[in-house]
Amino acid sequence: MRNLTCKYMIASVAMAALSLLPLLTVSCSEDEEPLAPQLVVEGQIESGSFATVLFTWSLTPDENSEIGDKIIPWGKITISDGTREEILRGGKASGWLPPYRYYGNEIRGESGKEYHIRAEYKGHVATSTVRMPERTPIDSITVTPIEGVDSLRSVVMHFTAPSDCPAYYYLGIREMGSKEQPLPCFMGIVSTDSPGSHIRVGVFNAKKYNEKHFVSNLRRGHDYEISLNRITERVFRFRQTYNEMLVFSHNPFLSTAQTLPTNIDGGLGIWSAQGTARYELRLR
């Protein structure tokens, strides 16, 4: 039997923002055996919020499927916090791509707790367990005019590194009042191993594959909800790799053979429990 050292990469990003994990393609080089489709779990639970999960099959390299064809609408998603257990309900998700999610409405995220997910479908099972870090408050956000471009603003977030470093973060953004999913900010990945240090990081728009002329700076006259999401190191490595693939690949189908990390046993994807601090920014 030939050696199996297959890698998996993002697929169908031509239908989704390049900051989520809607589907994965299992791919092998010519001397490797092709793998069967695998379960893909992308889910998160934030401090003070309920869980949301996208549940799909991966694509095989020779498939020509639409992203909606790979959604698993009749699966069973169970989360637990060590004392309670909840089965998530599936339903349409307006403003999300693909427009279907599994939702929780009983277990709210609490920093310091460990959250377990179990995704099941037709005898296939994928699991993961992750502990939610303590949230880090946002100290302030500074806004600076951009010379010669009155419609844009340079925005920087400031926060203080916690005492329990190392700490890992990604920034999220969406316009206030929007039903769309919050998206990771472009280049909004930061880590620190220096307790008490002052951290400053630029706040940029989320980059989407279909934006021919991406404008990274935020627009004057718009209102934004910005989040500082503290995550575990394994989730950080996933976000970091994804961000690098987004920055350095001009092809949205990501022809590089770079491996995308996962913390899912029995499948692909990522399960994150994140301590989240939010900030409402009105650019006038």
Side-chain angles (χ1 to χ4, degrees):
M1 182 178 292
R2 290 170 292 180
N3 183 34
L4 290 178
T5 56
C6 298
K7 307 181 184 301
Y8 61 93
M9 298 179 292
I10 300 166
S12 295
V13 290
M15 298 183 63
L18 273 175
S19 15
L20 292 178
L21 182 66
L23 287 175
L24 292 171
T25 292
V26 179
S27 64
C28 304
S29 61
E30 291 183 358
D31 62 343
E32 296 168 342
E33 292 186 1
L35 294 181
Q38 298 185 60
L39 296 180
V40 180
V41 177
E42 188 210 359
Q44 65 182 38
I45 182 168
E46 298 179 350
S47 52
S49 298
F50 303 116
T52 59
V53 178
L54 171 62
F55 191 29
T56 69
W57 286 110
S58 62
L59 288 171
T60 55
D62 58 348
E63 278 191 276
N64 186 25
S65 299
E66 296 290 340
I67 192 170
D69 297 336
K70 290 299 179 176
I71 295 172
I72 301 175
W74 307 114
K76 181 181 180 182
I77 308 289
T78 307
I79 65 166
S80 62
D81 62 2
T83 57
R84 297 174 297 165
E85 187 174 278
E86 176 185 11
I87 297 176
L88 307 190
R89 57 182 177 84
K92 293 182 179 180
S94 176
W96 295 63
L97 286 173
Y100 193 93
R101 289 294 187 281
Y102 289 82
Y103 300 96
N105 60 7
E106 297 177 16
I107 297 178
R108 288 185 183 271
E110 296 180 39
S111 296
K113 284 194 172 183
E114 197 168 69
Y115 293 91
H116 177 78
I117 187 170
R118 180 182 176 90
E120 306 171 64
Y121 185 67
K122 291 187 175 181
H124 299 268
V125 179
T127 64
S128 185
T129 301
V130 64
R131 183 177 298 276
M132 183 180 292
E134 294 291 332
R135 63 188 291 274
T136 300
I138 299 171
D139 293 336
S140 64
I141 288 185
T142 55
V143 179
T144 306
I146 296 177
E147 186 176 354
V149 188
D150 188 55
S151 62
L152 299 178
R153 292 292 182 266
S154 174
V155 179
V156 176
M157 177 187 291
H158 304 262
F159 64 93
T160 303
S163 59
D164 59 338
C165 283
Y168 306 91
Y169 304 89
Y170 79 90
L171 274 60
I173 190 169
R174 69 175 170 184
E175 292 208 28
M176 289 174 57
S178 172
K179 292 183 179 180
E180 293 186 357
Q181 66 222 68
L183 298 175
C185 293
F186 183 63
M187 300 293 291
I189 302 289
V190 62
S191 64
T192 178
D193 57 5
S194 302
S197 60
H198 171 249
I199 308 297
R200 64 190 306 274
V201 57
V203 180
F204 299 107
N205 280 309
K207 186 177 181 181
K208 301 177 182 179
Y209 91 95
N210 57 354
E211 290 184 278
K212 295 181 179 179
H213 304 289
F214 174 62
V215 178
S216 60
N217 293 109
L218 305 191
R219 295 188 179 278
R220 178 186 178 192
H222 290 240
D223 300 331
Y224 298 93
E225 177 188 289
I226 300 169
S227 60
L228 176 64
N229 304 283
R230 187 176 178 187
I231 52 181
T232 65
E233 182 179 3
R234 289 187 72 183
V235 176
F236 177 81
R237 299 305 173 201
F238 169 90
R239 293 286 182 186
Q240 185 180 48
T241 303
Y242 203 140
N243 188 74
E244 290 172 355
M245 294 169 79
L246 175 60
V247 171
F248 296 112
S249 177
H250 297 290
N251 182 349
F253 290 95
L254 303 175
S255 57
T256 64
Q258 187 172 10
T259 301
L260 194 61
T262 181
N263 65 356
I264 304 295
D265 295 323
L268 305 174
I270 199 74
W271 167 239
S272 178
Q274 47 204 51
T276 300
R278 296 180 178 83
Y279 191 103
E280 293 184 356
L281 177 65
R282 293 173 169 81
L283 293 182
R284 297 292 182 265

